Amino acid sequence: MNAELDLALERRIGKRSAGVIEKHLGITTVGGLLNYFPRRYLDRGELTRISEIPHDEDVTLIARVVSNSSRQMRERRGSITDVIIADDTGPGLKIVGGSDYRGSVPGTLKVSFFNGFRAKSDLQPGRRALFSGKVTSFKGVLGLTNPDFQVLDEDPDVPGVDPEALAARPIPIYPATAKLTSWSIQKVVETLLETLDLDSVPDPLPADIVQREKFLPAAEAYRQIHVPATTGDWQQARKRFRYQEALVLQSALARRRAQLAAEEATARRPVADGLLAAFDAQLPFTLTAGQTAVGKTLTEELSQDSPMNRLLQGEVGSGKTIVALRAMLQVVDAGGQAALLAPTEVLAAQHYESIRRTLGPLSRDGLLGGLGADSVQVSLLTGSMGTAARKQALLDAASGTAGILIGTHALLSENVRFYDLGLIVVDEQHRFGVEQRDALRAKANKPPHLLVMTATPIPRTVAMTVFGDLETSVLDELPAGRAPISTHLVGLAENPGWAGRIWSRSREEISRGHQVYVVCPKIGADDDGDFSPGEAEPTGADTDAGGRELASVTGVVEYLQQEPVLAGVSIAALHGKQDPALKSATMADFAANTTSLLVSTTVIEVGVDVHNATMMVILDADRFGISQLHQLRGRVGRGGLPGTCLLVTNLEPGHPSRRRLDAVAATTDGFALSQEDLKLRREGDILGASQSGGRSTLKLLRVLEHEDVIAQARQDAQLLVGKDPALAGQPALAAAIDEYLNPEKEAFLERG
Ligand code: ADP
Ligand code: MG
């Protein structure tokens, strides 16, 4: 904690400014505002390219005034001043302004002011000015209405600066709001910099690193990022803060790794003639080389008396479950229990069924036997189970009767106790965060071993950032005999006729004895579907851009039951709002091929394993994210039969959201897709609260772009924490880590 940075903002910039900053930006401390960096910088000499400004967004741009005209309003009292502004590609001073302007001139923008007396007098043709407001379009004409503006040619606010130096000075553009312009923020920040003793602000970076990298000193960097004299200034400052961000993050992770490694776990050594050996002997297939290698690593780590903390990445269908099950059996052989945490009820139930099936005679039912090394009891615990079954499962977990407990996040709840929890397996990591991992770890007497599995391939830097506290293993091959999936984009906007083809293709599959999934973004006409937050990028609207209703499970079922080519086909519906018993029954029917066509939401996204399903139709596919689509299609082509996936969309070709679909159709390489996904999505979504461990998102660091910075910081952090686990010698870094991990602390202190 630092006295200066934690100081209330009003102590430095006055009550009034502080009030404004708190109201609009939610910032209350000196440190908060000091670290509120400009998003970009405008070059005073240049004009913004008007053709590139985003619509419907708050923008700040520099442009030259082309014309200025005013007129009285007819219906109301008052006047309108129309100012046409242009960039360098614009037509200069030639065009006709005011009411004759039709907006058809590229590189120009119409700016309207109601009763804009200052605009009328100050925005004379030829002047350059900074404009800030929301870009709207009216009858196809781009415009700004009542924006804030500041004339640049006569900058009155910088006394004593010679004009040439001023012209070179970049204009910082802060993340602004409609009510608080970038330059109002700039002014307040400048005041803060003047009243603050910057040299007393501690530097989280160790001095030797600053020296090695030739970074700016902290005080200098703060000045240059907020008030750069040249472009080089802010670039240098950014470089330093970017590294600082990476080091804080990596040190937090290194500290956590060190803490985890220092804990003492119970070693669960393999036994020669236990369940695992029996299981291996009865396996109907041979393990892939990857499964064998990862299995060996797990065997070794489970045998240590420090906890395993491992992430297992493996493409959809690469056979992660068997690997996990073998680890669980090793722990059971050694007298411990294993818990398998699944993200959804459907998936938990599926795991329960399939693990019991895979175990065959090695799986024992509750009432039959006592503890015996020749079989293991597998139990299921989910939130929606009946009271009696729940009680039994809780009892079995607490007494140690259940060797393997499978469940949803219900496993995290307070009343779940284990007799001796030795291993936690978390399936499909992307829905579980650090906090949940910790909640489950707390249930063991001693820290348990942890295996986290994810089917979403993770680029190296993301693995270092998001899962930096775990060691990583990869299963990079699919078991032999896995058939390829071909994916096709079906664009109904350009080929409306293809709608019928979708269902006749489905019929063909079904006539061959196979099964079909149909996935919809919504459950019913007025429902939000089973969207997992942060996955897809729904606009929140229930209709697409053309006002068309999105496909819903109930709507599509009704439609397909009338569809002549599907006459006689048994169709079922599955979604998250159904009664759990109904869901299980529906899945069981589909698994048994009693139903041929399953219309569902994304509840089938992860892990569902029906070998006979060969085709998947994803309706309004543009509503889903890349990794979600990739996961979904991994449900077909599982049984050695080639799979087909149709991505159906009503979006026009060239629509930005169609790029995701093109990417998914173009490759089945999950790694390439997750790179693409990262590029297309904002990283905040990826490093969101539940995944990053810390609650703040990254400011200057981009996980794809700055791989070198992250790798360097990771190495430095490892060294720092290795020498000094508590970072006692680096109090400023330790404070920055605390701040990163718990930014709400500030607000908390205020209240408390
Ligand atoms: P995922 O990695 O997506 O969780 P699963 O563990 O569900 O994959 O495995 C997918 C299917 O492949 C399962 O039916 C499983 O029994 C089968 N499988 C796993 N390993 C092998 C193997 N070595 N050879 C053949 N089939 C395998
Ligand atoms: Mg799986």
Side-chain angles (χ1 to χ4, degrees), residues 317 320-321 347 351 427-428 453 455 606-608 635 638:
K320 296 183 291 294
T321 314
L347 193 56
H351 270 316
D427 194 16
E428 309 301 347
M453 305 196 286
V606 281
V608 171
R635 303 303 112 215
R638 303 206 119 208

Side-chain angles (χ1 to χ4, degrees), residues 482-723:
R482 202 52 64 76
I485 304 169
S486 54
T487 305
H488 308 278
L489 184 61
V490 181
L492 295 181
E494 67 271 31
N495 294 301
W498 285 1
R501 271 295 287 150
I502 298 169
W503 308 121
S504 48
R505 266 293 281 123
S506 304
R507 178 75 210 210
E508 285 165 27
E509 288 303 320
I510 292 164
S511 300
R512 285 186 208 131
H514 302 155
Q515 290 161 279
V516 176
Y517 292 106
V518 178
V519 181
C520 309
K522 289 197 329 165
I523 295 175
D526 33 46
D527 200 286
D528 303 330
D530 288 344
F531 268 122
S532 48
E535 254 293 356
E537 292 103 279
T539 56
D542 277 359
T543 52
D544 67 10
R548 207 187 49 88
E549 276 283 318
L550 290 176
S552 67
V553 172
T554 47
V556 168
V557 166
E558 251 171 59
Y559 174 83
L560 293 182
Q561 278 165 345
Q562 320 272 324
E563 169 62 51
V565 313
L566 293 176
V569 170
S570 58
I571 297 174
L574 180 73
H575 59 74
K577 296 248 165 92
Q578 283 167 334
D579 182 72
L582 176 58
K583 273 190 281 192
S584 310
T586 305
M587 263 328 286
D589 283 349
F590 193 66
N593 199 1
T594 316
T595 36
S596 304
L597 191 149
L598 184 67
V599 183
S600 79
T601 54
T602 54
V603 288
I604 56 149
E605 179 186 344
V606 281
V608 171
D609 197 23
V610 176
H611 288 197
N612 191 45
T614 51
M615 183 162 155
M616 175 173 289
V617 179
I618 304 178
L619 298 173
D620 291 313
D622 46 273
R623 286 308 170 116
F624 303 101
I626 285 185
S627 65
Q628 208 171 15
L629 291 169
H630 183 58
Q631 292 267 325
L632 279 168
R633 75 175 157 183
R635 303 303 112 215
V636 295
R638 303 206 119 208
L641 301 163
T644 306
C645 175
L646 303 182
L647 305 175
V648 184
T649 179
N650 284 281
L651 294 181
E652 300 287 335
H655 189 285
S657 293
R658 271 185 64 156
R659 279 177 49 198
R660 291 203 299 273
L661 306 186
D662 291 333
V664 175
T667 179
T668 48
D669 178 348
F671 189 82
L673 281 175
S674 70
Q675 291 271 358
E676 186 64 23
D677 198 15
L678 264 177
K679 270 189 239 153
L680 295 179
R681 285 163 60 164
R682 290 218 325 278
E683 285 168 37
D685 300 340
I686 296 163
L687 300 173
S690 66
Q691 301 193 7
S692 62
R695 277 163 216 83
S696 44
T697 48
L698 300 177
K699 281 198 238 175
L700 294 172
L701 203 59
R702 295 287 163 270
V703 286
L704 277 190
E705 245 172 86
H706 304 128
E707 176 164 351
D708 295 350
V709 180
I710 295 174
Q712 179 67 57
R714 183 177 173 86
Q715 199 183 324
D716 291 339
Q718 188 76 38
L719 222 66
L720 282 167
V721 172
K723 274 190 296 204

Side-chain angles (χ1 to χ4, degrees), residues 72-83:
Q72 291 301 311
M73 280 189 284
R74 285 191 209 103
E75 337 259 81
R76 283 195 279 150
R77 279 158 62 110
S79 69
I80 295 182
T81 299
D82 284 329
V83 174

Side-chain angles (χ1 to χ4, degrees), residues 335-339 371 377 379 381 389-405 411 414-421 443 445:
Q337 292 169 289
L371 286 168
Q377 184 184 319
S379 297
L381 181 68
R390 232 181 109 72
K391 267 203 180 132
Q392 189 59 51
L394 288 173
L395 203 63
D396 291 349
S399 66
T401 313
I404 296 177
L405 189 67
L411 288 185
E414 188 98 354
N415 55 4
V416 180
R417 300 260 191 288
F418 289 88
Y419 178 71
D420 181 13
L421 180 59
K443 296 197 173 297
N445 314 330

Side-chain angles (χ1 to χ4, degrees), residues 273-518:
D273 53 356
L275 286 165
L276 178 54
F279 178 74
D280 283 345
Q282 69 163 47
L283 256 188
F285 45 71
T286 36
L287 297 176
T288 65
Q291 285 172 319
T292 307
V294 174
K296 198 161 163 277
T297 308
L298 299 187
T299 298
E300 278 162 18
E301 290 187 351
L302 292 172
S303 308
Q304 307 290 321
D305 52 14
S306 67
M308 171 175 90
N309 284 289
R310 189 160 282 280
L311 172 70
L312 174 58
Q313 291 187 48
E315 185 63 89
V316 178
S318 59
K320 296 183 291 294
T321 314
I322 297 290
V323 172
L325 181 55
R326 292 186 68 251
M328 293 194 263
L329 291 176
Q330 176 176 335
V331 169
V332 171
D333 277 340
Q337 292 169 289
L340 171 59
L341 193 58
T344 63
E345 299 225 340
V346 168
L347 193 56
Q350 269 247 325
H351 270 316
Y352 175 69
E353 296 298 339
S354 83
I355 283 179
R356 283 177 18 141
R357 206 177 331 115
T358 315
L359 284 171
L362 300 177
S363 150
R364 145 168 62 84
D365 275 329
L367 298 172
L368 286 180
L371 286 168
D374 56 345
S375 62
V376 55
Q377 184 184 319
V378 183
S379 297
L380 178 70
L381 181 68
T382 63
S384 60
M385 265 169 28
T387 323
R390 232 181 109 72
K391 267 203 180 132
Q392 189 59 51
L394 288 173
L395 203 63
D396 291 349
S399 66
T401 313
I404 296 177
L405 189 67
I406 299 173
T408 53
H409 51 264
L411 288 185
L412 300 175
S413 69
E414 188 98 354
N415 55 4
V416 180
R417 300 260 191 288
F418 289 88
Y419 178 71
D420 181 13
L421 180 59
L423 170 67
I424 299 167
V425 178
V426 180
D427 194 16
E428 309 301 347
Q429 160 67 21
H430 60 288
R431 305 230 178 138
F432 282 107
V434 170
E435 289 90 345
Q436 280 151 321
R437 291 205 294 262
D438 284 346
L440 203 51
R441 290 159 49 87
K443 296 197 173 297
N445 314 330
K446 271 185 173 181
H449 299 282
L450 175 69
L451 176 67
V452 174
M453 305 196 286
T454 172
T456 316
I458 300 164
R460 200 170 85 90
T461 44
V462 179
M464 285 194 289
T465 317
V466 182
F467 302 103
D469 58 340
L470 305 175
E471 309 293 332
T472 304
S473 294
V474 180
L475 282 183
D476 51 9
E477 65 186 315
L478 297 185
R482 202 52 64 76
I485 304 169
S486 54
T487 305
H488 308 278
L489 184 61
V490 181
L492 295 181
E494 67 271 31
N495 294 301
W498 285 1
R501 271 295 287 150
I502 298 169
W503 308 121
S504 48
R505 266 293 281 123
S506 304
R507 178 75 210 210
E508 285 165 27
E509 288 303 320
I510 292 164
S511 300
R512 285 186 208 131
H514 302 155
Q515 290 161 279
V516 176
Y517 292 106
V518 178

